[in-house]
Amino acid sequence: MAPSLSDVMTPDAAALAAAQKGEGRAPLKAGSPEHDLFTGLTRLGDNCLILGHRVSEWCGHAPVLEEDIALANMALDLIGQTQLWLGLAGEVEGRGRDADALAFRRDGWDFHNILLVERPNGDFGQTLMRQFLFDAWHAPMLKALEGSSDDRIAAIAQKAGKEVAYHIERSADLVIRLGDGTEESHARMQAALEALWGYAGEAFIADAVDTRLAEAGLMPAPESLRATFDETVNAVFAEAALTRPESDFAHKGGKQGRHSEHMGHLLTDMQWLQRAYPDAKW
Amino acid sequence: MYAQMVKSEATDEDPAKLAAFQARIDAGERIEPKDWMPEGYRKTLIRQIGQHAHSEIVGQLPEGNWITRAPTLERKAILLAKVQDEAGHGLYLYCAAETLGISRDELTEQLLSGKMKYSSIFNYPTLSWADIGAVGWLVDGAAIMNQVPLQRTSFGPYSRAMIRICKEESFHQRQGYDLIRKMAEGTPEQKAMAQDALNRFWYPSLMMFGPSDKDSVHSTQSMAWKIKINTNDELRQKFVDQTVPQAEFLGLTIPDEHLKWNEDKGGYDFSEPDWNEFYEVLKGNGPCNADRMEARTRAWRDGEWVRDGLMAHARKQTSRRVAAE
């Protein structure tokens, strides 16, 4: 017979452990500084997650082997950045949700990415133009975030910024080469620009959350990044012989959780295993 | 084995040159691209390296099938990195083949026209998340078994590519094993997925080594040239002996009722895979042959304007530079 061992466990150990991580704690109050910061961080993380997902759909289907490698690399960087931003968001929220819980267990209305990144891949030209428009915002955004009053944000921005410096270099270079390539590649790049331009502006439109985050010195005011973005895209379009659309109309809503029809399908794909087998560890 | 059933070419060159070539190989020297080599050696290598490269490229598809559904961010990153590595292996191997005087585009055209093959294993579907573990554990495991000896193959660029590739493949195998271990130790549903993955991938993995040596007509010349180092049966036996205890550790059952330790030979006795199925898959009748080729053909065709655009831009840049000088 095995020696008897005294039970040193408290009967409600599981509940205590959960409470340590904040599970069951009340949701953050909208308008509170913590809620603002959480929202700002999910905006950053969700942009990376959704764009990373879209880019990863290309795996094995790219026009040339070097692009298979490059696209996988972009997706990998973006998923890595997602882990950092959503990890910090979960920490700020303090309710026991980690990056995976945020990525795989929220529904569409709780995602805060801009509409641009959920646009379907289309042809390679559309995927590339979406990436370029995103990178042209993402690079100055990360640069500004390096000066955040929150050291954790500054540290992530510094790390991600090194990667995104390559992203913009690559996407700008390819836009130029294909814009100024054959007649067909030019026409496709111009069509991609016209299809996606209306989604480029959302990132620069501030709401009350953005304004409060900017006032607290945590994140830059969205409109402050517009000049750098314009300078980048104008220079690249000029070299690529592409015509910038005249209208600056911007579709919006993604940052506040109002998404396109595409988003539900994307999440169905991405979250399926986690939703179908909620008790499983992977 | 990512290159299966590679037919070695007969050769009818000057016997003195051939003898000197064989002497170099026997002395363990590496043959480099600019060295004299028999045409048969060159053609056999193009076929073998090309087939291996194509396998890496087509091999992106069954695994890519699960990237968007990976259940955690970490697993998604691991799988992305792995599939990216496979594309990288394809790139090294195409480069090695190019040193023999054939371009990557020519090799691609031959794949798409059906003139060249890729490993039959990639014509099987990945149906559950556990399959991603099984592919790493069994398929990469079988590939490594073949590729480790090929690090000593006689053709320098191929040997060097293999050294790099093996390092990454053994990492992939561990990641695959880690994934399936998590499944095998998980919920009853996860365990069932792991067992089902093993059931479906076991025999196709054994087929990766090719038919038995007594039926393999291409081995002798390739072995003399050190393009092939071990026989199919030796490698298959080694794979089974290595894999059985790994399955036992996972608490999974190898789907072979005749599997039995044989003390005399110091290895397992096991059932042969269904070779009719193997030949049908090679002929194009596997579950995914048509889908795989369609995906590769579409990627190539849809990407044509991109490749043309990049080339046109490069030509414009050159003529602008020349005009400026």
Side-chain angles (χ1 to χ4, degrees):
Chain A
M1 210 176 136
S4 71
L5 294 170
S6 59
D7 179 11
V8 293
M9 297 293 289
T10 25
D12 55 348
L16 279 177
Q20 284 284 315
K21 291 194 291 175
E23 272 170 34
R25 197 176 290 168
L28 299 173
K29 199 165 154 279
S32 68
E34 294 77 19
H35 188 268
D36 284 348
L37 183 54
F38 174 76
T39 305
L41 289 167
T42 54
R43 285 174 179 174
L44 289 164
D46 293 344
N47 279 334
C48 295
L49 174 59
I50 302 304
L51 185 58
H53 181 97
R54 280 290 187 228
V55 174
S56 78
E57 291 172 358
W58 272 97
C59 220
H61 305 279
V64 65
L65 190 47
E66 284 81 352
E67 279 305 308
D68 268 315
I69 295 172
L71 288 163
N73 213 53
M74 307 288 300
L76 206 46
D77 284 350
L78 290 165
I79 297 303
Q81 293 171 21
T82 305
Q83 287 174 298
L84 298 173
W85 291 126
L86 292 186
L88 181 54
E91 204 178 304
V92 166
E93 188 192 37
R95 298 181 63 215
R97 293 200 284 182
D98 60 9
D100 283 331
L102 290 170
F104 295 99
R105 300 291 181 92
R106 278 178 301 159
D107 214 326
W109 44 83
D110 288 327
F111 274 81
H112 298 128
N113 56 282
I114 56 174
L115 298 174
L116 173 70
V117 296
E118 70 198 55
R119 298 306 299 158
N121 284 342
D123 67 5
F124 184 78
Q126 294 194 26
T127 290
L128 174 61
M129 186 57 77
R130 182 185 64 199
Q131 187 72 46
F132 172 62
L133 295 173
F134 180 77
D135 294 343
W137 163 80
H138 200 197
M141 177 66 174
L142 291 170
K143 192 87 219 144
L145 286 171
E146 284 184 31
S148 171
S149 57
D150 186 321
D151 292 345
R152 297 168 299 180
I153 294 177
I156 296 174
Q158 205 172 16
K159 181 179 187 303
K162 287 182 193 144
E163 296 168 349
V164 171
Y166 286 107
H167 297 186
I168 181 79
E169 193 182 313
R170 165 184 173 271
S171 63
D173 177 60
L174 280 173
V175 167
I176 291 167
R177 292 203 275 158
L178 291 174
D180 182 29
T182 59
E183 215 172 289
E184 182 181 3
S185 73
H186 173 80
R188 283 179 184 262
M189 294 314 293
Q190 184 66 43
L193 174 55
E194 278 160 28
L196 292 166
W197 186 247
Y199 296 94
E202 183 182 5
F204 307 100
I205 302 170
D207 64 4
V209 174
D210 290 319
T211 307
R212 288 193 294 270
L213 287 171
E215 281 164 6
L218 289 162
M219 294 188 189
E223 59 278 10
S224 68
L225 306 169
R226 182 86 207 201
T228 313
F229 172 87
D230 281 337
E231 205 180 306
T232 306
V233 300
N234 290 344
V236 168
F237 293 158
E239 212 181 324
L242 295 173
T243 310
R244 175 176 163 147
E246 276 176 24
S247 166
D248 272 345
F249 170 80
H251 291 282
K252 52 186 192 285
K255 283 169 66 172
Q256 292 78 28
R258 288 187 307 279
H259 292 277
S260 65
E261 288 183 348
H262 303 292
M263 189 68 174
H265 295 280
L266 186 154
L267 294 181
T268 303
D269 200 19
M270 185 173 88
Q271 298 181 334
W272 174 71
L273 274 175
Q274 283 265 1
R275 300 273 191 187
Y277 303 97
D279 301 326
K281 301 263 185 296
W282 307 97
Chain B
M1 184 177 302
Y2 280 15
Q4 286 164 333
M5 308 275 293
V6 175
K7 183 169 175 284
S8 52
E9 294 272 341
T11 236
D12 58 359
E13 278 115 334
D14 176 359
K17 274 185 167 175
L18 284 174
F21 180 78
Q22 190 62 50
R24 287 190 64 193
I25 287 185
D26 294 343
E29 283 183 41
R30 289 277 171 281
I31 307 301
E32 294 299 332
K34 287 182 175 164
D35 298 348
W36 183 86
M37 62 184 80
E39 262 319 286
Y41 178 85
R42 180 191 303 277
K43 283 186 183 160
T44 307
L45 269 176
I46 287 177
R47 205 173 285 163
Q48 182 167 332
I49 299 172
Q51 195 183 109
H52 190 159
H54 296 329
S55 299
E56 301 281 1
I57 300 310
V58 177
Q60 293 180 94
L61 299 171
E63 295 186 282
N65 182 37
W66 279 91
I67 287 177
T68 60
R69 291 177 289 171
T72 69
L73 294 169
E74 192 186 359
R75 291 286 176 198
K76 196 188 278 286
I78 290 171
L79 184 54
L80 265 167
K82 181 186 175 191
V83 178
Q84 187 193 28
D85 284 348
E86 311 289 359
H89 298 172
L91 198 54
Y92 307 150
L93 288 163
Y94 284 128
C95 291
E98 281 183 318
T99 66
L100 292 160
I102 186 161
S103 73
R104 197 203 312 176
D105 284 1
E106 283 173 276
L107 287 165
T108 301
E109 295 292 351
Q110 291 190 18
L111 169 70
L112 300 181
S113 72
K115 203 178 153 201
M116 285 186 83
K117 301 283 183 210
Y118 55 92
S119 177
S120 57
I121 191 76
F122 301 118
N123 292 314
Y124 289 88
T126 50
L127 302 178
S128 84
W129 176 246
D131 287 15
I132 297 307
V135 168
W137 172 35
L138 301 173
V139 175
D140 291 332
I144 294 165
M145 207 53 92
N146 177 54
Q147 290 168 4
V148 164
L150 284 177
Q151 295 178 97
R152 291 180 285 115
T153 192
S154 60
F155 187 56
Y158 193 28
S159 149
R160 290 188 286 274
M162 278 303 142
I163 291 168
R164 294 189 65 163
I165 289 172
C166 280
K167 281 187 194 152
E168 294 181 347
E169 291 289 2
S170 64
F171 198 60
H172 296 166
Q173 196 199 12
R174 284 167 208 215
Q175 289 173 328
Y177 193 70
D178 176 66
L179 192 166
I180 205 158
R181 182 176 169 187
K182 201 92 182 170
M183 300 289 283
E185 291 171 353
T187 64
E189 290 100 331
Q190 284 177 299
K191 182 156 192 185
M193 287 183 229
Q195 182 63 54
D196 181 55
L198 174 57
N199 292 350
R200 282 180 291 106
F201 276 96
W202 175 251
Y203 287 107
S205 300
L206 297 187
M207 290 177 199
M208 286 174 71
F209 298 96
S212 176
D213 299 307
K214 57 186 190 297
D215 307 320
S216 182
V217 289
H218 310 309
S219 291
T220 319
Q221 179 62 75
S222 284
M223 288 184 88
W225 277 335
K226 291 192 187 161
I227 293 173
K228 188 179 165 101
I229 311 277
N230 302 86
T231 69
N232 296 348
D233 289 331
E234 277 167 13
L235 292 169
R236 189 171 12 251
Q237 181 70 50
K238 215 171 153 194
F239 174 74
V240 171
D241 292 345
Q242 174 190 288
T243 308
V244 171
Q246 294 169 348
E248 280 168 359
F249 181 79
L250 295 173
L252 299 178
T253 309
I254 303 272
D256 180 359
E257 56 184 27
H258 302 298
L259 186 79
K260 207 175 151 226
W261 178 256
N262 179 333
E263 196 60 53
D264 294 341
K265 75 171 179 187
Y268 284 91
D269 290 331
F270 57 93
S271 301
E272 289 278 307
D274 176 356
W275 292 110
N276 287 330
E277 177 181 314
F278 174 74
Y279 288 111
E280 284 301 328
V281 174
L282 282 194
K283 267 194 272 171
N285 294 326
C288 298
N289 294 59
D291 291 345
R292 302 287 184 243
M293 286 319 289
E294 209 245 32
R296 288 311 308 160
T297 306
R298 186 157 24 88
W300 188 244
R301 197 185 51 217
D302 290 355
E304 190 175 6
W305 71 269
V306 178
R307 298 190 300 276
D308 289 349
L310 296 176
M311 293 305 288
H313 182 78
R315 281 192 297 273
K316 283 185 195 177
Q317 289 296 87
T318 310
S319 55
R320 279 173 201 149
R321 236 188 342 263
V322 171
E325 273 162 14

